Amino acid sequence: MTQPPITVTIQGLDKLKKVTRPELVLGPTSRAIRDLSLLAERTSKAAAPADTGALRRSITAQIKPLSARIGDTRDLTYFEVQERGRRPGQRMPPPAALAGWARRHGFGTTPGALFVLARGIARRGFKGRFFMAKGRQAVEKALPNKLRRASKEIEKSWGQGRIR
């Protein structure tokens, strides 16, 4: 289950219909979206587990002028599990899927050892790392200040102070 997107609604947009130069609004707004997206990407990558680095490398920001999406671009099967964790009693992960991790971390890689590892995960579960949630929190914290700056930039470019 993914987090709902962060949506920002700008009040008074209907009054901007008179704008003959939309770049006055588009430029600062796009820059704010880009900056916040890169903040989310950077924060999420820093908080993600680093085993082989594949999980961190899969976190990217796909930025468009007025929207952005930060997430897993490689469709890693374990991305969501690492983010949210596993409850105890859930179905056992495939033992073969744990072979690389087990080898890198000094566990046995025989089929029996991998089965025991997978069964332990199924029985005990494990806590999520919530690395994407940390990126979201960073954006939520920075959002008001970033929007204030964009607003001031728009007002300055507009040349008339407040938009009425």
Side-chain angles (χ1 to χ4, degrees), residues 47-100:
D51 184 33
T52 64
L55 184 64
R56 286 183 175 180
R57 285 189 305 274
S58 78
I59 301 169
T60 58
Q62 298 167 335
I63 304 169
K64 296 179 182 175
L66 293 176
S67 68
R69 180 185 180 280
I70 296 86
D72 173 23
T73 57
R74 297 183 183 187
D75 278 339
L76 297 177
T77 55
Y78 57 92
F79 188 93
E80 196 74 24
V81 175
Q82 286 293 315
E83 170 69 10
R84 300 192 185 286
R86 289 178 63 99
R87 291 186 324 271
Q90 281 188 294
R91 190 173 179 182
M92 183 170 89
L98 302 172

Side-chain angles (χ1 to χ4, degrees), residues 16 23 34 41 46 79 96 146:
L16 292 178
E23 68 274 7
R34 183 199 63 222
E41 177 184 353
F79 188 93
K146 189 58 77 173

Side-chain angles (χ1 to χ4, degrees), residues 7-8 40 48-50 57 81 87 90 99 106 111 132 137 160 162:
T7 304
V8 176
R57 285 189 305 274
V81 175
R87 291 186 324 271
Q90 281 188 294
M132 295 300 290
Q137 290 167 350
Q160 65 182 35
R162 290 194 161 178

Side-chain angles (χ1 to χ4, degrees), residues 2-3 23 26 28-29 34 49 60 69 140:
T2 58
Q3 291 277 338
E23 68 274 7
L26 182 62
T29 305
R34 183 199 63 222
T60 58
R69 180 185 180 280
E140 288 173 347

Side-chain angles (χ1 to χ4, degrees), residues 92-103 109-111 114-115 118:
M92 183 170 89
L98 302 172
W101 184 89
R103 184 177 49 259
T109 56
T110 65
L114 294 175
F115 176 84

Side-chain angles (χ1 to χ4, degrees), residues 28-42:
T29 305
S30 294
R31 284 190 289 281
I33 290 170
R34 183 199 63 222
D35 292 349
L36 290 166
S37 301
L38 294 175
L39 171 66
E41 177 184 353
R42 191 172 53 249

Side-chain angles (χ1 to χ4, degrees), residues 123 128-129 133 162:
R123 285 182 177 169
R129 298 295 186 87
R162 290 194 161 178

